[in-house]
Amino acid sequence: MRGVDGLPVRILCGAGTAAVVSDVPAEAFTEEAVAQRLDDITDLERLARDHHQVIAALASRTAVLPLRLATVYLDDDGLLRRLRADESHFRTTLNQLEGHDEWGVKIYAQPPTAADPPPQDRPRSGRDYLRVRRTSRDGHELARQTAADLGARVDRALVEANLAADVRHHRPQPAALSAKPGENVVNAAYLVPRKHTRSFQDRVELLAAGTTGVRLEITGPWAPYSFAPPPPEQAGTADPTIPQTTT
């Protein structure tokens, strides 16, 4: 298996957990070098793809805790100290994630597009133009509210049916990243028991069926990126304090 920059990966065993790592050139992964690579959209995409391929391969075989992209430790000893110090957190979280996948549900406001009116119906005055604009704006607001309401119904239904163990709501995805029509209003991640995968998809699609003005997108299965919190002492910090060796 190959990881970041095509470098081979290996397993580093701790007392009760293990890390999958690649040995990387120190000069290419200094704090400054990493910051530059993350600012380069092409390099960032390549790093993210390499990182994801390793995690996806592992997640297909066992429960994993994806660390942040470009997490580095100076040496094996530093990483082993981290594994020992946070073993309780890692083991507890791995037990919670066992047998689950992450699924994404995005809901977009996409009001029906009105056909171009015939020439005789086109705005003839400034007042007509403003009326048409107001009608269009009201239609979009209605679609946004419909998308938000559908997201709330999906949350309730999945909890009531025990089809999702947990949920995270992320910021709506900017239109530039989506490259698809509509405005993203709901961007949720659900932790779904693997045995309920089909029921989860069917329930979400059934809730959205016949709802006008919205577009539904279900993605997955993913490794549980949204449900792998860092150990409490790392929460809220930008990166681990111990640099080097990538997972």
Side-chain angles (χ1 to χ4, degrees):
M1 183 185 301
R2 298 279 173 174
V4 168
D5 291 344
L7 295 166
V9 299
R10 60 184 173 87
I11 297 174
L12 182 64
C13 293
T17 57
V20 177
V21 303
S22 289
D23 296 311
V24 298
E27 65 276 9
F29 284 84
T30 63
E31 185 174 345
E32 294 77 15
V34 168
Q36 289 179 1
R37 299 189 70 173
L38 297 183
D39 283 340
D40 183 325
I41 188 65
T42 301
D43 212 2
L44 173 60
E45 182 180 354
R46 184 167 51 245
L47 285 170
R49 186 171 56 249
D50 292 346
H51 184 249
H52 172 69
Q53 285 177 348
V54 174
I55 291 173
L58 296 170
S60 68
R61 297 169 178 268
T62 187
V64 297
L65 282 176
L67 296 187
R68 291 169 177 159
L69 177 65
T71 298
V72 290
Y73 288 81
L74 287 174
D75 51 35
D76 285 0
D77 288 341
L79 180 51
L80 288 171
R81 285 197 297 273
R82 176 63 67 197
L83 291 178
R84 284 195 297 270
D86 297 317
E87 181 182 350
S88 176
H89 166 82
F90 291 141
R91 291 178 67 86
T92 298
T93 309
L94 285 168
N95 288 336
Q96 292 170 344
L97 298 178
E98 179 70 41
H100 294 72
D101 292 315
E102 177 174 332
W103 285 82
V105 173
K106 292 187 176 71
I107 304 174
Y108 298 82
Q110 190 174 337
T113 303
D116 290 337
Q120 65 272 20
D121 292 340
R122 290 176 183 169
R124 296 174 179 273
S125 65
R127 179 176 297 178
D128 287 347
Y129 174 77
L130 291 175
R131 177 178 52 78
V132 171
R133 287 288 303 273
R134 186 167 56 249
T135 300
S136 174
R137 186 177 63 244
D138 290 347
H140 191 79
E141 285 301 319
L142 177 61
R144 292 184 84 256
Q145 187 58 54
T146 301
D149 292 344
L150 175 58
R153 291 203 305 276
V154 169
D155 278 355
R156 286 197 300 272
L158 294 178
V159 169
E160 290 171 0
N162 292 320
L163 295 179
D166 206 349
V167 60
R168 297 285 186 274
H169 288 275
H170 301 299
R171 287 183 297 180
Q173 190 175 43
L177 294 179
S178 172
K180 293 180 180 178
E183 177 190 352
N184 184 214
V185 177
V186 175
N187 183 10
Y190 296 94
L191 187 65
V192 179
R194 209 160 285 145
K195 61 184 179 181
H196 293 325
T197 295
R198 187 68 256 171
S199 298
F200 162 81
Q201 293 173 313
D202 290 346
R203 182 62 62 91
V204 175
E205 289 172 351
L206 180 62
L207 288 166
T211 305
T212 59
V214 302
R215 181 170 62 84
L216 175 72
E217 182 179 274
I218 302 175
T219 63
W222 305 102
Y225 290 96
S226 301
F227 304 95
E233 63 270 25
Q234 291 186 33
T237 62
D239 282 304
T241 54
I242 310 172
Q244 226 110 92
T245 305
T246 310
T247 60

